Amino acid sequence: MRYYILLSLIFLNVVLLSAKNIKNFSAARDSIVETYKLRGDTARTWDSLEMEWKKRLPDILKKHKITISCAECTSIIANVVLYADSTGKCHIVQKRKLTVCGGTMEPKLEYDYFRFWKQVVFPPVLRNRYILARLSIVLKC
């Protein structure tokens, strides 16, 4: 009986914390900036982070045996909302679309694909803001 009560309390706690996080994100949803709308130093800083991530991408694709070409796989689409807190730690708060070669992104690939963003420290110009990023590769075949 104690087990069921404890389990119920844990479940209730998880539900309440999730509701709080959803409420906080909903309030911030209006302040989401798409990367292409960034200007000045903010845009240059974002571009440098994205270029650093793209340098690591070929190793990630090779590890997961993905070849981007018109004959095999024409796209990886990852639209995500990132939030860099006041310390520069990046959080992926929403995954809007994750598609690999027309299918779903495997958890192992997802982990490697976003590892850079979870480890990088965002510069002050990008902190305390929500950013909608399209971290994708799409070929026009």
Side-chain angles (χ1 to χ4, degrees):
M1 184 67 169
R2 284 188 217 157
Y3 174 76
Y4 293 113
I5 293 172
L6 181 61
L7 188 61
S8 297
L9 289 174
I10 291 171
F11 178 74
L12 181 62
N13 191 25
V14 168
V15 169
L16 291 175
L17 286 175
S18 295
K20 181 181 175 187
N21 288 338
I22 289 170
K23 183 179 177 185
N24 289 342
F25 178 69
S26 296
R29 183 174 41 224
D30 295 335
S31 64
I32 295 173
V33 178
E34 296 178 51
T35 55
Y36 74 89
K37 291 182 180 178
L38 297 173
R39 300 286 178 249
D41 287 340
T42 309
R44 284 187 290 279
T45 304
W46 172 260
D47 289 343
S48 67
L49 281 175
E50 192 172 22
M51 290 297 286
E52 188 61 36
W53 173 74
K54 285 181 179 181
K55 288 178 187 175
R56 299 163 191 236
L57 203 50
D59 292 335
I60 295 167
L61 297 177
K62 185 177 180 181
K63 177 181 176 183
H64 294 276
K65 298 177 180 147
I66 297 172
T67 303
I68 301 295
S69 71
C70 291
E72 294 188 32
C73 176
T74 59
S75 67
I76 296 178
I77 301 172
N79 297 338
V80 295
V81 177
L82 306 173
Y83 176 74
D85 64 21
S86 61
T87 65
K89 181 170 174 42
C90 179
H91 306 274
I92 298 173
V93 295
Q94 188 180 49
K95 298 170 186 168
R96 293 191 173 178
K97 185 174 186 178
L98 300 178
T99 306
V100 178
C101 309
T104 58
M105 188 178 280
E106 302 267 332
K108 289 179 182 178
L109 173 59
E110 183 179 328
Y111 174 81
D112 288 337
Y113 201 75
F114 295 117
R115 184 177 358 171
F116 170 81
W117 300 103
K118 292 178 180 178
Q119 293 174 344
V120 72
V121 176
F122 273 54
V125 72
L126 290 172
R127 293 181 186 175
N128 297 313
R129 60 174 59 208
Y130 291 89
I131 299 172
L132 174 58
R134 184 172 184 163
L135 305 171
S136 305
I137 306 165
V138 179
L139 297 180
K140 293 180 182 179
C141 296

